[in-house]
Amino acid sequence: MTTQFIGKPDFTISTQTVSESCPSNIALIKYWGKYADQIPANPSISYTLNHCKTNTSMEFIAGETFSVQTFLAGNEEVKFAEKIEKYFRNIEQYLPWILQGKYIIRTENTFPHSSGIASSASGFGAIAKCLMKLDDTFTGKISEDESLRKASFLARLGSGSACRSLYNGLIVWGETEEVEGSSDLFAVPYPDTEIHEVFKNFNDWVLLIHEGQKSVSSTVGHGLMKTNPYAERRFQEARENFVPMKEILKTGDMDRFIKLVEHEALTLHAMMMMSEPAFILMKTGTLEVINKIWDFRRETGLPLFFTLDAGANVHLLFPGDDPEDQIRVFIETELLRHTQKNGVVKDVMRF
Ligand code: DP6
């Protein structure tokens, strides 16, 4: 493990309240499978969302016995507090003051809990940012770049994909020779000069096909890759996918982008179907929507496509400011009916 983030021994702690906000993200090349200490089995790349965020305020009462109390949208969440307590104990070596007080953490998401949008990514991102703000006052200033990188490093230890939420734009986590400076320990922004303009203005509309508890948590899902007979091939493919992705991002090749992104999403779900025990994370509505999107593209040639997280909801992706009329009407008349309550969360990726 790295020693670069191990905190300085000298610090004076004081009672403080800090607030931070962090968005969620949606992966294009997926992280699915990990080793000890939150080391990803393959590199991944994601878009950071602009609207779906977690806002967190952290009150640190110095000198009290270490404890954590958490409130989600005003309601006390004991299970979440236990998780954060464990997390803080785990990162003490990187923030030596962290166990020397009591925490009251108030957090709220700007998106519905049931949406399947990764609240662990925005949640741990916001907590890591709050911790770095406290660290700044206790141990002295480090540069803004270094602080962000350490926040990404700490967020990863809470939830892998969270480390990508610290930066805006297209973000890479996991070492790949295709991206200079990439690391298994923290995320880095994909170089802006290597991104075609068409990929800097994108939409992600999440169709809420199924609202409710996911049938499998990410932690269990990652664990199932340990015994999946196709896992090594999958990790290799994800690594290989960075080669075409790099070309696509540079040249603005939308057709190849669509093919690659949809393939990644379907591969993630295929892995779950081939796990032991097996999980089918799609619902009937997910399949209906996918087939309709494919028909729509065949008929119109318009760049409307999808990605999926480890759940049934469909992330509709399309470039540009507002959807052109044909896309908007198609979504409203053909796709929304497959959601549970006409549920859609509209986000953008603009940078
Ligand atoms: C399907 O980051 O939620 O969203 O590290 O166990 O917290 P943990 O898992 P998590 O996994 C996210 C997986 C994914 C794909 C991705 O975001 O790359």
Side-chain angles (χ1 to χ4, degrees), residues 23-28 30 45-52 111-112 115-118 164 169-170 198-208 257 261 293 303-309 313-323 327 331 335 343-351:
S24 188
N25 68 75
I26 179 69
L28 303 170
K30 308 282 181 185
I45 181 166
S46 59
Y47 264 129
T48 298
L49 301 176
N50 287 181
H51 300 323
C52 290
F111 50 93
S115 64
I117 293 167
R164 298 185 309 234
L170 279 165
V198 74
F199 297 122
K200 295 183 183 176
N201 188 12
F202 240 84
N203 302 280
D204 178 6
W205 288 14
V206 190
L207 293 177
L208 307 184
F257 188 63
V261 170
I293 291 172
L304 174 69
F305 58 109
F306 69 87
T307 188
L308 307 163
D309 256 346
N313 296 334
V314 181
H315 290 248
L316 297 175
L317 302 174
F318 51 95
D321 284 331
D322 291 317
I327 290 185
I331 295 173
L335 302 187
V344 57
V345 175
K346 298 178 180 176
D347 212 323
V348 294
M349 289 85 71
R350 298 210 169 113
F351 53 101

Side-chain angles (χ1 to χ4, degrees), residues 27 31-32 34 38 120 159-161 164 218-219 222 268 309:
Y31 148 59
W32 200 242
K34 62 177 165 182
Q38 296 280 93
S120 66
S159 176
S161 58
R164 298 185 309 234
S218 295
T219 309
H222 288 292
L268 166 68
D309 256 346

Side-chain angles (χ1 to χ4, degrees), residues 288-299:
E288 299 270 14
V289 165
I290 290 174
N291 279 305
K292 282 189 175 176
I293 291 172
W294 283 347
D295 287 345
F296 177 79
R297 271 217 311 277
R298 250 192 308 274
E299 284 156 20

Side-chain angles (χ1 to χ4, degrees), residues 82-95:
E82 286 167 6
K83 198 169 166 182
I84 299 301
E85 235 183 84
K86 197 167 152 207
Y87 169 60
F88 282 8
R89 289 186 197 281
N90 198 24
I91 58 176
E92 190 196 4
Q93 57 183 312
Y94 308 112
L95 298 173

Side-chain angles (χ1 to χ4, degrees), residues 216 220-221 224 227-228 271-280:
V216 59
V220 171
L224 289 171
T227 52
N228 188 317
M271 285 297 125
M272 290 309 291
M273 287 189 219
M274 290 186 289
S275 295
E276 174 55 46
F279 286 95
I280 300 178

